Amino acid sequence: MRAPVMLDDKQRDANMFAAQGIGMSLVKWAIFGLLMLPMVEIAVFVAVAIKLGVLAALALTILTSLAGMAIVRNAGHSEIARVRDALGDRTIRRVELGGTGLLTVLGGFLLVIPGFVTDVLGALLLFPPTRYALHAALRRAVAGAPVPSAPPGVVDLAPDQWERVPEAQIADERSPQGPPGRRD
């Protein structure tokens, strides 16, 4: 009989979930967050409506949405077109991370979404210190991301590492006479 292994709560819970096959990947967390967002937004709206009044909370929500539309409009069509082009090519490395325009547009979009939680996140993205900190973190993440490899079965060689072989020579090497290069 094995002696019991003592683990702290975090390790015990992680091992329990891993043993059950319930690993929480980033995609699962994102889906969970998106499903929980409306409930959290409603709860925060009710709390703000109780504190300020329903009309004031509604007016604040409408004003932040209008501010978000103005920010997205003023962010420039070129920034949005650049991001759309890069995402259409599915190459996140192509998005220039030299500026913070993408984060400004994202902050504007978050302000457009009705709700106080997304408004706070959008305002944080518009605040320069948090925008620059997130920008630096994204640069580090993209720089450290692994380069996508070729599909299975494909060997990617530099031009000086291969040469074209005539079809006749390939047919000769595939003949049943023996291994290529060995002629008796």
Side-chain angles (χ1 to χ4, degrees), residues 80-157:
I80 295 172
R82 184 174 61 86
V83 171
R84 188 178 336 151
D85 184 40
L87 292 177
D89 292 344
R90 296 183 189 265
T91 55
I92 192 67
R93 289 185 182 276
R94 187 151 177 255
V95 176
E96 290 181 19
L97 294 174
T100 56
L102 172 66
L103 296 177
T104 303
V105 171
L106 181 61
F109 278 130
L110 286 173
L111 284 174
V112 169
I113 298 171
F116 293 110
V117 174
T118 54
D119 289 346
V120 168
L121 293 175
L124 284 174
L125 284 177
L126 297 176
F127 189 59
T130 56
R131 185 173 60 223
Y132 291 133
L134 185 60
H135 179 258
L138 285 174
R139 284 182 67 119
R140 284 191 302 271
V142 169
V147 177
S149 63
V154 174
V155 178
D156 195 16
L157 299 174

Side-chain angles (χ1 to χ4, degrees), residues 20-91:
Q20 295 175 356
I22 310 175
M24 289 295 279
S25 68
L26 183 61
V27 174
K28 289 180 184 178
W29 279 111
I31 291 171
F32 177 73
L34 287 175
L35 291 175
M36 292 300 296
L37 183 64
M39 290 184 271
V40 172
E41 290 283 12
I42 290 171
V44 171
F45 183 83
V46 168
V48 170
I50 289 172
K51 188 73 171 175
L52 299 179
V54 175
L55 290 177
L58 192 58
L60 194 57
T61 301
I62 292 170
L63 286 175
T64 56
S65 293
L66 291 174
M69 284 189 272
I71 289 169
V72 169
R73 184 173 296 149
N74 290 334
H77 296 294
S78 62
E79 184 70 31
I80 295 172
R82 184 174 61 86
V83 171
R84 188 178 336 151
D85 184 40
L87 292 177
D89 292 344
R90 296 183 189 265
T91 55

